[in-house]
Amino acid sequence: MGNSTVQTDSDAPFEFSRSALLIVDMLNDLEFDGGEALLEHAMPAASAIAQLRDWYHARRLPVIYANDNFGRWHADLAKIIEHCRRVGSRGAALSDGLLPGVEDYFVLKPRHSAFYETPLSTLIEKLGVQALAVVGIGGDDCVLRTALDAQMRGFSLWVPADGIASQTPLRNQRALACMQEVAKADITRIDARLPEWNNTQRSHTMSSHDRKDIRHPDHAAPQRPETENERKGRKAHESDLTDEAVEETFPASDPVSPFIPAKTPEP
């Protein structure tokens, strides 16, 4: 595509054929205040994310990992994975289930948003991506900030409700409502958006497939169009979610890594 800029429109319907899956901070040691609570909600989300990642792999669509560097400025992908999977790491099991495949892309981020001071925008442009499916943790922090930055850049968004997790369900619900209303994101669940994937196929343990693995037998099945009744039901659910969410002002992006304790200001 040369050096031309990808023309995007955040109000356009989400199209899988022009999309990439962006996995935010799922390689994580969770060694911070609230990490244990986040782990409880992140594990079910990780199972859904693993299925969605395999779905993208089967269709040769891009999968991009955007991960915090944990303040380890000399680290590369291998060192970050080693750090998160080390013995005693709270997030070892979480990281084990979502290891990047050989075909996946990986971006290290120093701050909350996956776009802030990273090559993500350049990578997306080179891939010709016009829509992003954003999943990961924390739903009310790094995922939220990434989604807002993506919307500002004009990308159509899908942030599936079962593909993100926060420290509490209420915080996750608030974040989803914000992303739906402000970032114009589709928040339909993965199992509702991809009906050809039967829920019984969701593994109790997450996978870490690469291209050598056997594909799901339904990977070539065409997507079933959403019926009018399903569309109305989804819209009603999304509206209820927005109405139920407690109004809250979300802070603007700041330059402090969410996984590094902030220094106490000197008097």
Side-chain angles (χ1 to χ4, degrees):
M1 58 174 284
N3 294 321
S4 61
T5 301
V6 176
Q7 297 297 316
T8 57
D9 181 2
S10 60
D11 292 328
F14 181 89
E15 295 184 33
F16 281 105
S17 62
R18 298 185 176 184
S19 74
L21 175 62
L22 182 60
I23 301 176
V24 179
D25 286 334
M26 291 302 287
L27 301 177
N28 210 305
D29 63 3
L30 297 175
E31 296 296 338
F32 52 87
D33 289 342
E36 186 172 357
L38 181 55
L39 176 62
E40 178 183 353
H41 301 292
M43 290 300 288
S47 180
I49 292 170
Q51 293 286 352
L52 182 59
R53 180 200 57 186
D54 291 349
W55 191 94
Y56 266 76
H57 282 169
R59 286 155 179 79
R60 301 296 191 267
L61 293 171
V63 174
I64 306 169
Y65 284 74
N67 222 86
D68 196 88
N69 68 359
F70 306 101
R72 303 167 68 87
W73 295 96
H74 291 97
D76 55 13
L77 170 60
K79 290 181 179 178
I80 290 297
I81 291 176
E82 180 183 4
H83 170 75
C84 294
R85 301 178 72 200
R86 70 188 187 278
V87 175
S89 168
R90 181 183 286 158
L94 181 68
S95 302
D96 284 347
L98 280 170
L99 298 178
V102 295
E103 64 268 60
D104 297 333
Y105 301 91
F106 189 83
V107 173
L108 279 176
K109 62 185 184 71
R111 306 289 186 251
H112 301 72
S113 172
F115 287 94
Y116 184 74
E117 296 188 346
T118 75
L120 180 59
S121 291
T122 302
L123 172 60
I124 288 174
E125 179 182 335
K126 293 298 182 183
L127 293 173
V129 168
Q130 296 186 354
L132 288 174
V134 185
V135 295
I137 56 175
D140 60 339
D141 195 348
C142 296
V143 173
L144 173 60
R145 297 171 197 258
T146 297
L148 293 176
D149 277 355
Q151 187 270 340
M152 182 172 61
R153 288 163 172 79
F155 293 99
S156 58
L157 290 171
W158 176 35
V159 185
D162 54 342
I164 71 170
S166 305
Q167 290 183 26
T168 70
L170 179 58
R171 288 172 62 167
N172 212 52
Q173 186 182 53
R174 289 171 174 168
L176 283 165
C178 179
M179 287 184 279
Q180 180 189 30
E181 183 173 358
V182 178
K184 310 304 180 186
D186 180 351
I187 61 172
T188 306
R189 291 174 57 90
I190 295 170
D191 53 13
R193 191 69 189 267
L194 304 179
E196 69 269 29
W197 286 80
N198 190 297
N199 283 340
T200 59
Q201 297 296 331
R202 290 185 181 273
S203 175
H204 292 294
T205 58
M206 296 170 292
S207 59
S208 56
H209 300 313
D210 62 21
R211 282 182 177 167
K212 297 186 294 295
D213 295 314
I214 298 174
R215 302 297 182 188
H216 188 283
D218 293 339
H219 81 273
Q223 292 178 226
R224 177 174 63 82
E226 187 178 43
T227 67
E228 182 63 21
N229 286 338
E230 289 173 338
R231 188 189 70 81
K232 289 180 179 179
R234 173 172 60 80
K235 291 294 185 182
H237 172 72
E238 293 172 354
S239 178
D240 289 343
L241 182 60
T242 301
D243 292 340
E244 293 172 4
V246 178
E247 293 185 1
E248 180 175 297
T249 301
F250 291 90
S253 181
D254 61 65
V256 179
S257 173
F259 305 122
I260 303 174
K263 294 181 180 179
T264 304
E266 295 181 1

